[in-house]
Amino acid sequence: MGDLRKMLGDRIRKARVRLSLSQQQLATEAGFSAPQIVSQIEKGEREVKAWELVNVARVLRTEVSQ
């Protein structure tokens, strides 16, 4: 399970960097209360809820299935 979280986190980080977004910007636009949540997700330390994933995908201009 940890490998899946890490893989998802890596994909989110790469997409965020590609769009030149900071963790703070992604957190704000995705509706997170703090940028530390984005950091934890990118490191694979935190599970992502479905609604969070949908919001992150919207901000990163991608589909959840990709």
Side-chain angles (χ1 to χ4, degrees):
M1 189 68 138
D3 290 338
L4 291 176
R5 284 196 309 241
K6 180 67 176 148
M7 183 179 73
L8 178 61
D10 287 342
R11 287 179 152 191
I12 290 172
R13 182 186 52 76
K14 287 176 185 175
R16 178 182 59 77
V17 169
R18 178 178 40 83
L19 294 174
S20 300
L21 292 173
S22 67
Q23 289 180 341
Q24 175 68 55
Q25 290 169 310
L26 177 56
T28 300
E29 292 185 38
F32 294 125
S33 59
Q36 290 82 358
I37 294 172
V38 174
S39 176
Q40 291 170 345
I41 291 170
E42 290 182 353
K43 292 177 185 175
E45 297 173 349
R46 182 181 185 279
E47 287 192 31
V48 184
K49 297 175 179 84
W51 71 267
E52 294 173 332
L53 188 56
V54 169
N55 287 350
V56 168
R58 177 186 47 79
V59 174
L60 297 177
R61 301 180 196 143
T62 189
E63 298 291 325
V64 172
S65 61
Q66 291 183 341

